[in-house]
Amino acid sequence: MKLLVLGGTKNLGRHVVEAALRDDHEVTLFNRGLTNPSLFGSVRRIVGDRSAPQALAAGEWDGVIDMSGFLVRDVSLSASVLRDRCGHYTYMSSIAVYAGKTTPGMTESAPLLDWPEGAPEDHFTMDLYGPSKVRNESLLTATFGDRSSAVRSGFVVGPYNPDFGNWGWALAHDLPMECAARPDQPVQYLDARDLAAFLLHLTVDRIPGPFNAVGPTRTLSELAVAWRTAVPNPQPINWSPTEDRFHLPHDGTNDGTFQLNNTRAMTAGLRLRADEETARDYVAWVQDGNMPPGPPH
């Protein structure tokens, strides 16, 4: 299959490309050539900016996986160029699209955030992150119809991705894991390799619609127990650190965001590895001398 990956050399994107190459797909990358430019040296690369995607008008692909779509203007331009040049368009969205933050069990049909009146479509701020993802999903559905998928995910953990509360780094260096959030606070995450495989699966099999691509809900204390199995004799957990690396409200005002219903994604083919496996692999990756990147936003 001929695949176009928008982005593809950072964090989750590199797992998507690695998975595609393992499955013998023909991959083309479109990015600015600034992040890890020597990565995937044998893969065709079109150097360009999302704000000027005209170079894509010279190609055709069976599927597109959009890993770098933030600005509404840029996604609109890509959609316009690729509308008649690709079979299926898979968009990396976010669980930040939901208007409600406290209701547990939300499905993909739950109310979404509105676009703020007068907000710019060519400028990114964190306040516009969720609304921008909603607007991008909408314009892609309007452009591609059933030839599009939107994958809504939250915490993504694994090699080359930001550390989960700095837990991997702490365990790899025999330091206490830290967590300023409530021990009973719900959380969902996904291993980057599982999410990459799901993105590829939706694209290759052309499965339409939005998906809550998240793992099962755990409390942070339950998850901490699983992660502590990655090393022998881990240090005690510090539940009162000076820095809150999770940045989750402690008053329950965001608890519903991490209790999403993932039935539709699981039915469509999302496969999840055990928390203990994710933890072991991440700790081993750090112990091999790798430095976890900072948060993406």
Side-chain angles (χ1 to χ4, degrees), residues 60-269:
E60 292 186 356
W61 294 273
D62 300 305
V64 174
I65 303 178
D66 187 347
M67 304 301 303
S68 60
F70 295 102
L71 296 182
V72 175
R73 177 204 59 190
D74 292 353
V75 174
S76 178
L77 289 171
S78 299
S80 179
V81 171
L82 294 168
R83 179 180 54 198
D84 300 319
R85 313 200 72 82
C86 75
H88 192 88
Y89 195 112
T90 300
Y91 176 62
M92 189 64 239
S93 189
S94 170
I95 60 174
V97 298
Y98 292 109
K101 307 297 182 186
T102 59
T103 304
M106 288 187 292
T107 68
E108 290 81 358
S109 62
L112 305 180
L113 292 169
D114 293 324
W115 181 254
E117 184 176 354
E121 294 188 343
D122 59 352
H123 181 66
F124 177 77
T125 67
M126 281 309 300
D127 288 342
L128 288 178
Y129 179 72
S132 292
K133 291 293 188 179
V134 175
R135 200 164 178 88
N136 288 336
E137 284 189 22
S138 179
L139 72 86
L140 289 169
T141 299
T143 302
F144 295 96
D146 285 344
R147 295 189 295 126
S148 67
S149 307
V151 178
R152 300 167 181 170
S153 193
F155 284 117
V156 179
V157 183
Y160 307 110
N161 283 257
D163 201 345
F164 188 69
N166 212 40
W167 285 2
W169 179 268
L171 290 169
H173 293 87
D174 194 28
L175 299 171
M177 292 166 51
E178 297 182 348
C179 185
R182 307 187 329 260
D184 67 341
Q185 191 142 357
V187 67
Q188 289 171 304
Y189 75 164
L190 207 57
D191 190 292
R193 296 162 294 182
D194 296 337
L195 180 52
F198 187 58
L199 286 160
L200 184 62
H201 168 63
L202 294 177
T203 309
V204 172
D205 287 5
R206 301 187 179 187
I207 304 174
F211 296 92
N212 290 334
V214 294
T217 296
R218 307 270 195 258
T219 65
L220 278 169
S221 60
E222 289 172 338
L223 200 56
V225 170
W227 273 66
R228 283 164 57 82
T229 65
V231 298
N233 304 314
Q235 296 282 344
I237 300 172
N238 179 4
W239 290 103
S240 302
T242 56
E243 182 179 358
D244 185 351
R245 300 180 187 275
F246 286 97
H247 303 293
L248 297 173
H250 299 181
D251 59 2
T253 56
N254 200 33
D255 282 7
T257 305
F258 298 97
Q259 298 179 78
L260 297 177
N261 185 315
N262 67 357
T263 300
R264 189 167 192 274
M266 295 295 291
T267 301

